[in-house]
Amino acid sequence: MRIIVAGASGFVGSALVPALRALGHDVVVLVRRPVHGDREVFWDPATGKLDCAKLGGVDAVVNLAGAGIADARWTRERKALLRSSRVKSTETLVKAIGSASPRPRVLVNASAIGYYGNRGSEILTELSAPGEGFLANLCGDWERAAYAASPLGVRVVCLRCGVVLSSRGGVLARMKPLFRLGLGGRFGDGRAWMSWIASADLVRLIAAAIEDERYEGSINAVAPWPVTNADFTAMVAAALRRSAVLAVPGWVLKAAFGSMAEEMLLSSARALPAKLGNLKFEYSAREIPEALMDNL
């Protein structure tokens, strides 16, 4: 297939592109700098600039674009950037898809389990109601922007990603230096549920969503074995042969990170992959220690 990937420079995208090429696909990436070669296409999602002719004859579009959700404190300006970099980029892609001839057959769009908000120990499937808060509203708007491609005859898949375990970036990359210094520990009381997926499995899932027409709609992109924050930090510490006796009180996190602490660091989302279970998706990493072994 000929596939266009937005957000290819991120830690998931940088693993996805070579994996798709290894499967024999012709992958073109969208860039916001001068292009180099015929495997790159320029776009400016902030202004809605993307030549629709470049999408003509493309079989699939994968959209992973978006500013890092936990890279900075959520000021008003940061929230605006987080929203525009996701919703506006998706709107730009869908508009180009609508004008392309022929149109791509599938759009695989990133989302997040932040869609469900802070739900304690409630078990969450794709049929669960959306949550409340900035992140939940952002995910809802992000998905709605993607589903605007459905009336165009495009199969849309929105992957509600959990915490992605990867050596390339994300939560593990931030945690490792602290844990190696013996400064790692649980957040708050450690009882918040964390749904996760190994980076390699997420890459395989995106490839499957591109190729398999049974994949459609919103899908919880998580492993079926969520863990509490206390258990997760203990397993990271064990994998690094360090202790995790410290704990960061919730009030400290709130003081340091504001609303991001409540909606991410202390938030609980016990999401299960009901759809992937029905689709018999096979995970390579079945437990946290297996995923950590490959990514620490």
Side-chain angles (χ1 to χ4, degrees):
M1 295 184 180
R2 185 170 175 82
I3 302 169
I4 279 189
V5 177
S9 62
F11 74 92
V12 175
S14 61
L16 175 67
V17 170
L20 292 177
R21 285 174 176 160
L23 291 172
H25 299 302
D26 178 16
V27 182
V28 177
V29 301
L30 298 183
V31 299
R32 287 176 289 177
R33 52 164 175 73
V35 301
H36 299 105
D38 57 4
R39 284 185 160 184
E40 295 184 349
V41 170
F42 176 79
W43 78 321
D44 184 357
T47 61
K49 184 174 182 180
L50 173 59
D51 185 357
C52 62
K54 300 295 185 181
L55 270 67
V58 168
D59 297 292
V61 176
V62 178
N63 180 24
L64 305 174
I69 201 76
D71 285 357
R73 188 183 177 95
W74 287 358
T75 62
R76 181 180 301 178
E77 293 76 14
R78 184 66 184 179
K79 285 183 176 180
L81 175 62
L82 293 175
R83 175 173 292 277
S84 64
S85 66
R86 285 165 173 76
V87 178
K88 182 65 177 178
S89 65
T90 305
E91 291 174 343
T92 297
L93 283 169
V94 171
K95 182 179 178 181
I97 287 171
S99 300
S101 180
R103 292 171 181 159
R105 300 196 299 269
V106 59
L107 167 63
V108 179
N109 206 81
S111 183
I113 58 170
Y115 173 90
Y116 301 111
N118 186 359
R119 304 287 275 272
S121 60
E122 178 185 355
I123 292 177
L124 305 166
T125 72
E126 291 86 352
L127 297 178
S128 298
E132 299 178 350
F134 168 75
L135 189 55
N137 293 334
L138 172 57
C139 290
D141 292 343
W142 197 6
E143 292 185 18
R144 278 187 286 274
Y147 284 125
S150 292
L152 304 174
V154 177
R155 177 170 57 91
V156 178
V157 184
C158 287
L159 297 178
R160 293 175 181 163
C161 300
V163 175
V164 182
L165 302 184
S166 170
S167 59
R168 295 171 176 262
V171 65
L172 282 183
R174 295 175 179 276
M175 291 175 68
K176 275 197 300 184
L178 291 174
F179 274 77
R180 290 191 187 282
L181 293 172
L183 300 176
R186 59 178 170 80
F187 291 161
D189 61 16
R191 291 184 292 182
W193 284 92
M194 186 189 100
S195 297
W196 60 277
I197 187 168
S199 175
D201 283 332
L202 180 57
V203 167
R204 290 176 51 251
L205 173 54
I206 294 171
I210 291 170
E211 299 171 357
D212 192 334
E213 294 185 358
R214 297 177 302 158
Y215 287 72
E216 190 166 11
S218 298
I219 294 176
N220 287 346
V222 296
W225 310 280
V227 295
T228 63
N229 175 263
D231 287 341
F232 177 69
T233 53
M235 284 184 274
V236 172
L240 292 172
R241 298 180 181 178
R242 297 290 189 275
S243 63
V245 296
L246 301 178
V248 185
W251 67 268
V252 172
L253 293 170
K254 292 175 185 177
F257 299 103
S259 60
M260 182 174 70
E262 295 185 66
E263 295 196 37
M264 289 193 64
L265 304 180
L266 299 170
S267 185
S268 182
R270 193 178 182 181
L272 295 180
K275 285 190 175 180
L276 291 184
N278 292 334
L279 290 165
K280 308 299 183 185
F281 179 78
E282 292 288 337
Y283 295 85
S284 59
R286 300 181 60 84
E287 296 180 353
I288 289 276
E290 292 179 49
L292 295 177
M293 190 180 303
D294 294 332
N295 290 293
L296 280 179

